[in-house]
Amino acid sequence: MLGLKKLIERLKGTQVHALNPTDSNGVNTTGSSSTPGNCRVKFKGSKQNSSKACSGSGAETLIPFGFPRTDHLEPSIEPHLQPIQLIETLADLFRRSEACLESEKSLIYIEQYSILSSLVTEKMPPCRKATCLGSAWLRYERREDELEGVSPMDCSSRFILECPKATLVSGYDPNSIYDNCKCYQECAKSTDSHISKAKTLEEDSDVSFCVGNEEIDCIRFKIAALSRPLKAMLYGSFKESKSRKIDFSHTGISVEGMRAVDLYSRTRRVDLFPPEVVLELLSFANRFCCEEMKSDLSCIEDALILIEYGLEERANFLVLLRQLPSSLYNPKVMKMFCSFEAKERLASAGHASFILYYFLSQVSMEVNTVSNVTVMLLERLREYAAQKWQKALALHQLGCVLLERQEYTSAQCCFEAAAKASHVYSLAGNARCRFKQGQRYSAYKLMSSVISEYKAVGWMYQERSLYNVGKDKIDDLNTATELDPTLVFPYKYRAVLKAEEKQTTAAILEIDRIIGFKLEPDCLELRAWFFIAIENYGSALRDVRALFTLDPNYRMFNEHVSGDNLIEFLNLKVQQGSQADCWMQLYDRWSCLDDIGSLAVIHQMLVNDPGKSLLRFRLNCQKAAMRCLRLARNLSSSEHKKLVYEGWILYDTGHREEAIARADESISIQRSFEAFFLKAYILADTSLGPESSYVIQLLEEAIRCPSDGLRKGQALNNLGSIYVDCGKLDEATNCYMNALEIKHTRAHQGLARIHFLRNQRKAAYDEMSKLIEKACSNALVYEKRSEYCDGSMAKNDLNMATRLDPLRTYPYRYRAAVLMDEQKDSEAIKEVSKAIAFKPDLQMLHLRAAFYESIGDLKSAVCDCEAALCLEPNHIDTLDLYNKARGT
């Protein structure tokens, strides 16, 4: 009990120190959870009122902050463009992108990015042009995909579009941005020239670096001491380790620069060189990962100085951008971007633009929404806004930030101005500001007028519900969910309301509705809160563990409690099992297709044994999976495993050939399940054709290697699928049966497919029913079973799939196709439109366009085709339909 008391004090102490941090102006500077772009719903608890929601003293003791209350719940105003007529807007973007000059396309893509950022579909890259800004923005978007030890100026891609050095070349060919950059070509050339490992030279032997016709004599061990890559080159398995002279003519460094490298290696001083040489040292340090040299150069400071001198402005400008967000913390950087003098200098150098400040403001909003830096950057963004959509975006985002800063009058002015620029969604921000200033009825009237004037959208009813009361409030929330089931706030409000009415079980069922298809950390947090209220600490611990697997930095209970503290506390309430018990639980959760339960068990096992990197193998959440793969790579104890994790990272980021090379290198070091499975997975993820037999061979090799049952089951399942594609049904059946023996229940789906191919439809249906017994809350399972039945049974399964996961588009498409077959054209289009309203999916848009074309509504068909092509310009079927609808 002494440990329990100490932990309670720690929790209480956390509350005192974390409450309402402010900056120098007294503005709340709480971190990312209050970001307008984050869908987390804010709420505030009250210790005095917590007893109304708690059912026992244990829960009251555990949560000293009180439980959430409906009167403190509110959704954030999203800081993105949200057009009322989304499809028409996307179609217009496509038409303009086809008609504009190449130099004008960047702004079209930025506008497209600002709209798609608010959708369920993945965001498109903001820039498709080989520029300093485009390269920096792409790196920032993908910064979590980078491997450890990669510097900001390293070329970590293979394409000209993303290469920092290629962006410094004046002019570009728009058709070549996806060609291999010179960095990649040189790297491939040097890889081909590797020779077998040789004896290292004497530590004090001399070496000459040749630049052109000049030779710069250096001390080998001193150059090698600058970085690990240089050490590997000079003492490792490369031919340079045996060479007395090394050609550095193609590294981009001058004779003076190489002499400076030699002098630095001897003296460790950088104050001996002029600015232009410092720039070359910076480039060298980035190229060869010389961390100490970079530290000595203090590259941000030197880049700023060099820009002041007007030397190599593009290169140094790129340094600052590619070091975001860390460079934002430098006062001199902010002075450069925000002061009046800097504004003129950037403009004269051609750097100042709407795109630049849009990028900088997005970074700043992610770092700290309510900071003064964010406000200054958004003010600059507003100054550079020329087109109507630019003004709407800048004003709306500034309004969101000022609203978070509780500067309601100023925020309201921004939202009103954005609305005048035809951004209707800003009226929701206007209403919120009125409400915050005590004008509840005015806010209600404003949202009611929006609902009556425009086509109904979910956010309209969600916003009006804040100003409504009683049954009308619930009706608005239900309408919001019906129009847009992806909105989180209605579920949370209804759940908390049920909890306040002492219906905690019903509250859990309500929040389960959204957790089933949208795994948001704040929803898991709320459910954990409910479980604590009924003293179901085991389920609470499961949700908390899963939450922190998805987001390790998340802070619970209004950001007062860290994950480690809460897990430690809940562990005192729940009996802890051994590592062997965890393995049994993992098998059980995996066999039930329980992602949350699996994440929780994996979290516990990694706490017990952090070196067990294989547990981070694959997760169902892309962002969490990428983070865990990087962590697994960094913690891996062996080179061959590290190569496998690098391979998965490269594959997930689109570098297929490089990923296969990593797998091959890992296999050359040690034959392992992980390496064979990785290579087979990559090869199988394309049209197999003649490669099928090779993939089968790789998977068979993987299965023969030592591994755990979970991954062997996955390999057997994949092998069975390939056998089916090859027409080898008996071999596939054996694979699926063997997978089922080790509790890989997903193999039921493969067996069902085999039954169906053998014209045994009833057996296929029964096979899928066995999987449903294990995973009754999985929408995909019902969707797949519907393929093996007809009529009302199929309809019931698809309706269940939609209830469990409204984001799955197949049920809508199937129901619409049935309606079209029954010549119910308007009902079919209405069914598809229902999903397009909250998920403008490429396939859904293409299907509705086909429906419109079939009934002769060519104008609507063309509009849907253009919207679909805005999302995927090279979709062949849509291009054909588009040309047909236009009569071309």
Side-chain angles (χ1 to χ4, degrees):
M1 289 304 294
L2 182 60
L4 181 63
K5 290 179 180 178
K6 286 183 177 179
L7 193 52
I8 292 173
E9 290 304 316
R10 282 167 57 188
L11 291 176
K12 290 181 178 178
T14 307
Q15 179 189 16
V16 171
H17 291 99
L19 192 59
N20 294 330
T22 58
D23 66 8
S24 59
N25 295 321
V27 177
N28 187 310
T29 57
T30 305
S32 60
S33 63
S34 61
T35 304
N38 195 316
C39 60
R40 183 175 183 177
V41 180
K42 298 175 290 182
F43 49 78
K44 300 176 183 178
S46 170
K47 185 176 180 181
Q48 286 76 16
N49 295 302
S50 64
S51 59
K52 295 180 181 180
C54 292
S55 61
S57 60
E60 291 177 0
T61 302
L62 187 60
I63 307 300
F65 314 110
F67 282 75
R69 289 166 39 186
T70 52
D71 56 343
H72 286 148
L73 283 169
E74 66 177 44
S76 296
I77 301 295
E78 296 291 331
H80 311 294
L81 293 180
Q82 296 201 38
I84 292 294
Q85 296 180 311
L86 176 60
I87 304 306
E88 291 79 2
T89 301
L90 293 176
D92 178 63
L93 278 170
F94 173 75
R95 289 193 298 270
R96 286 193 281 133
S97 68
E98 291 293 296
C100 73
L101 298 173
E102 195 66 41
S103 60
E104 299 171 344
K105 285 193 174 182
S106 286
L107 277 175
I108 299 286
Y109 294 138
I110 288 293
E111 184 178 357
Q112 183 180 3
Y113 172 83
S114 67
I115 293 170
L116 296 180
S117 294
S118 65
L119 302 179
V120 176
T121 50
E122 291 186 9
K123 292 188 292 185
M124 296 186 64
C127 299
R128 297 182 189 173
K129 185 173 179 179
T131 64
C132 292
L133 183 55
S135 167
W137 200 328
L138 283 168
R139 178 185 182 270
Y140 179 77
E141 289 282 343
R142 301 173 184 176
R143 63 195 182 282
E144 294 191 346
D145 301 342
E146 291 182 346
L147 299 176
E148 189 180 58
V150 175
S151 77
M153 288 300 291
D154 283 342
C155 178
S156 55
S157 178
R158 58 183 295 186
F159 304 120
I160 290 175
L161 174 64
E162 300 178 49
C163 176
K165 297 175 181 62
T167 62
L168 298 177
V169 179
S170 298
Y172 82 106
D173 178 3
N175 297 317
S176 70
I177 58 176
Y178 292 110
D179 292 347
N180 291 340
C181 64
K182 289 185 178 180
C183 303
Y184 176 80
Q185 294 170 2
E186 290 175 5
C187 180
K189 192 183 297 183
S190 66
T191 300
D192 293 338
S193 68
H194 286 176
I195 59 173
S196 60
K197 187 174 182 178
K199 293 181 180 179
T200 59
L201 299 177
E202 298 264 325
E203 185 180 1
D204 59 349
S205 62
D206 290 335
V207 62
S208 297
F209 290 87
C210 303
V211 180
N213 297 322
E214 295 282 339
E215 292 183 12
I216 297 91
D217 294 327
C218 303
I219 301 175
R220 182 180 292 268
F221 83 90
K222 287 187 178 291
I223 298 293
L226 295 178
S227 73
R228 291 178 64 183
L230 288 171
K231 182 178 180 181
M233 179 184 73
L234 294 172
Y235 289 108
S237 58
F238 302 94
K239 66 180 181 181
E240 287 84 355
S241 64
K242 298 193 302 182
S243 301
R244 174 65 178 79
K245 296 181 180 180
I246 299 174
D247 186 8
F248 255 36
S249 299
H250 302 292
T251 61
I253 195 167
S254 67
V255 174
E256 292 75 16
M258 195 61 220
R259 285 175 179 155
V261 171
D262 173 51
L263 186 55
Y264 174 82
S265 73
R266 301 169 190 256
T267 65
R268 289 297 196 271
R269 292 180 60 184
V270 295
D271 58 338
L272 306 172
F273 313 116
E276 58 268 29
V277 173
V278 171
L279 178 62
E280 285 207 72
L281 285 177
L282 171 63
S283 177
F284 182 94
N286 281 320
R287 185 182 183 94
F288 293 100
C289 302
C290 305
E291 299 300 329
E292 184 178 350
M293 182 187 293
K294 283 192 284 186
S295 177
D296 289 342
L297 288 167
S298 302
C299 59
I300 292 179
E301 299 293 328
D302 290 313
L304 289 165
I305 293 170
L306 290 169
I307 289 176
E308 291 287 343
Y309 287 156
L311 298 169
E312 298 288 346
E313 292 200 52
R314 276 180 90 192
N316 290 281
F317 185 68
L318 180 59
V319 170
L320 298 182
L321 292 179
R322 289 181 67 87
Q323 290 197 344
L324 292 170
S326 60
S327 56
L328 273 182
Y329 294 102
N330 190 305
K332 293 184 179 179
V333 173
M334 292 318 304
K335 182 180 178 182
M336 190 190 103
F337 286 128
C338 296
S339 69
F340 179 77
E341 297 79 7
K343 176 184 174 183
E344 290 186 330
R345 185 167 60 253
L346 286 171
S348 64
H351 296 316
S353 67
F354 178 84
I355 299 178
L356 169 64
Y357 284 99
Y358 183 32
F359 174 36
L360 293 173
S361 62
Q362 300 316 292
V363 174
S364 186
M365 287 174 72
E366 286 191 27
V367 173
N368 189 344
T369 307
V370 297
S371 70
N372 292 333
V373 169
T374 302
V375 174
M376 286 190 291
L377 290 171
L378 286 171
E379 291 283 4
R380 282 284 179 267
L381 181 68
R382 182 169 63 172
E383 291 174 11
Y384 281 101
Q387 300 177 24
K388 181 181 284 188
W389 73 267
Q390 295 174 351
K391 294 176 181 177
L393 177 63
L395 288 162
H396 180 75
Q397 291 198 329
L398 184 55
C400 290
V401 170
L402 294 174
L403 176 62
E404 291 292 316
R405 287 165 63 101
Q406 301 177 13
E407 299 176 23
Y408 302 127
T409 302
S410 299
Q412 185 176 346
C413 291
C414 289
F415 286 129
E416 288 174 350
K420 288 180 181 177
S422 302
H423 189 233
V424 177
Y425 177 62
S426 293
L427 293 173
N430 187 349
R432 190 75 63 88
C433 291
R434 296 186 186 190
F435 175 66
K436 293 292 185 180
Q437 296 174 86
Q439 303 170 31
R440 184 179 191 130
Y441 183 63
S442 176
Y444 174 82
K445 282 180 60 179
L446 176 58
M447 291 312 303
S448 294
S449 67
V450 171
I451 290 171
S452 63
E453 185 175 348
Y454 298 98
K455 179 183 176 182
V457 184
W459 62 259
M460 298 177 180
Y461 288 90
Q462 173 180 270
E463 190 64 29
R464 191 175 72 171
S465 72
L466 297 176
Y467 321 125
N468 225 326
V469 292
K471 183 179 181 300
D472 291 339
K473 188 183 193 79
I474 298 301
D475 288 344
D476 275 351
L477 290 170
N478 292 340
T479 303
T481 299
E482 183 181 346
L483 292 171
D484 186 353
T486 67
L487 294 172
V488 176
F489 173 74
Y491 299 94
K492 298 190 75 169
Y493 185 92
R494 289 188 294 258
V496 174
L497 181 62
K498 287 178 169 62
E500 289 181 342
E501 295 170 349
K502 303 288 183 72
Q503 302 177 41
T504 311
T505 302
I508 292 170
L509 292 175
E510 177 64 33
I511 204 65
D512 280 348
R513 290 175 59 194
I514 184 117
I515 288 176
F517 68 90
K518 195 172 183 181
L519 197 55
E520 297 288 347
D522 59 325
C523 292
L524 282 174
E525 174 191 8
L526 185 59
R527 191 169 72 173
W529 214 320
F530 293 150
F531 281 128
I532 291 170
I534 60 175
E535 300 188 4
N536 185 347
Y537 299 120
S539 296
L541 181 59
R542 175 204 62 201
D543 283 355
V544 174
R545 286 191 181 280
L547 190 164
F548 288 106
T549 304
L550 296 173
D551 187 354
N553 299 318
Y554 193 91
R555 293 185 67 84
M556 296 186 65
F557 308 126
N558 303 311
E559 304 188 7
H560 295 150
V561 182
S562 70
D564 291 340
N565 283 348
L566 186 59
I567 289 172
E568 185 180 347
F569 202 112
L570 289 170
N571 279 337
L572 299 175
K573 298 282 187 176
V574 180
Q575 183 177 356
Q576 300 302 301
S578 64
Q579 197 77 339
D581 295 328
C582 289
W583 273 110
M584 295 300 294
Q585 292 174 31
L586 185 57
Y587 270 88
D588 181 62
R589 293 300 89 210
W590 183 260
S591 66
C592 293
L593 278 67
D594 179 4
D595 289 336
I596 293 175
S598 300
L599 288 174
V601 178
I602 289 172
H603 183 276
Q604 182 179 354
M605 296 174 76
L606 289 172
V607 169
N608 296 339
D609 185 2
K612 211 70 169 171
S613 57
L614 61 88
L615 292 170
R616 308 179 195 271
F617 199 61
R618 306 288 284 173
L619 296 176
N620 244 358
C621 172
Q622 173 65 17
K623 186 175 180 180
M626 189 61 68
R627 185 183 62 250
C628 288
L629 283 170
R630 287 199 317 277
L631 192 56
R633 183 257 190 191
N634 296 338
L635 293 175
S636 182
S637 58
S638 60
E639 184 65 22
H640 74 276
K641 289 183 180 179
K642 184 177 292 187
L643 287 165
V644 169
Y645 295 122
E646 288 182 8
W648 280 115
I649 292 170
L650 289 165
Y651 169 71
D652 283 345
T653 51
H655 304 296
R656 183 176 179 272
E657 292 81 4
E658 292 88 336
I660 292 175
R662 292 292 200 282
D664 286 336
E665 188 176 352
S666 178
I667 292 170
S668 69
I669 297 173
Q670 181 172 324
R671 300 165 66 86
S672 68
F673 172 91
E674 291 85 357
F676 282 116
F677 184 81
L678 169 61
K679 187 172 182 180
Y681 190 95
I682 297 170
L683 292 174
D685 196 30
T686 57
S687 180
L688 282 173
E691 289 185 342
S692 296
S693 58
Y694 183 46
V695 174
I696 290 172
Q697 181 183 346
L698 288 170
L699 287 171
E700 288 174 342
E701 288 288 345
I703 292 168
R704 282 193 284 268
C705 293
S707 182
D708 60 84
L710 288 176
R711 289 177 297 161
K712 280 201 172 180
Q714 189 173 355
L716 285 165
N717 198 61
N718 290 7
L719 182 56
S721 179
I722 295 171
Y723 275 134
V724 171
D725 292 339
C726 296
K728 300 179 179 180
L729 302 186
D730 291 336
E731 290 88 340
T733 300
N734 290 334
C735 287
Y736 290 132
M737 295 302 294
N738 289 335
L740 287 174
E741 288 181 6
I742 51 178
K743 293 189 175 183
H744 191 85
T745 53
R746 291 165 176 80
H748 284 299
Q749 185 176 325
L751 284 174
R753 184 182 174 197
I754 291 174
H755 290 314
F756 179 74
L757 291 173
R758 288 172 169 164
N759 296 319
Q760 300 169 352
R761 198 165 187 179
K762 175 66 167 58
Y765 180 88
D766 292 340
E767 197 69 45
M768 288 305 299
S769 297
K770 294 177 183 177
L771 183 53
I772 286 176
E773 290 176 8
K774 283 282 188 179
C776 60
S777 298
N778 190 290
L780 175 62
V781 178
Y782 286 97
E783 184 180 300
K784 289 297 181 183
R785 190 174 71 170
S786 72
E787 298 175 9
Y788 308 126
C789 56
D790 295 313
S792 61
M793 294 175 67
K795 184 178 180 180
N796 290 338
D797 275 353
L798 290 173
N799 289 343
M800 175 62 79
T802 298
R803 280 197 296 273
L804 293 172
D805 185 356
L807 294 179
R808 298 198 66 82
T809 60
Y810 174 77
Y812 298 96
R813 288 186 279 125
Y814 178 91
R815 289 188 291 262
V818 170
L819 290 168
M820 284 296 286
D821 289 342
E822 297 172 352
Q823 297 185 339
K824 297 178 180 178
D825 302 339
S826 59
E827 290 93 331
I829 291 172
K830 184 178 179 181
E831 179 68 25
V832 178
S833 300
K834 195 187 306 179
I836 289 175
F838 59 87
K839 187 177 182 182
D841 180 83
L842 171 67
Q843 291 180 324
M844 300 293 282
L845 287 166
H846 176 83
L847 180 62
R848 192 172 71 172
F851 287 169
Y852 279 132
E853 192 274 335
S854 69
I855 63 174
D857 188 350
L858 299 183
K859 182 179 179 181
S860 297
V862 167
C863 181
D864 277 356
C865 284
E866 289 172 338
L869 292 171
C870 184
L871 300 175
E872 179 47 72
N874 299 317
H875 192 253
I876 301 298
D877 291 341
T878 303
L879 283 169
D880 291 341
L881 180 59
Y882 182 48
N883 292 330
K884 181 181 178 182
R886 291 194 305 163
T888 58

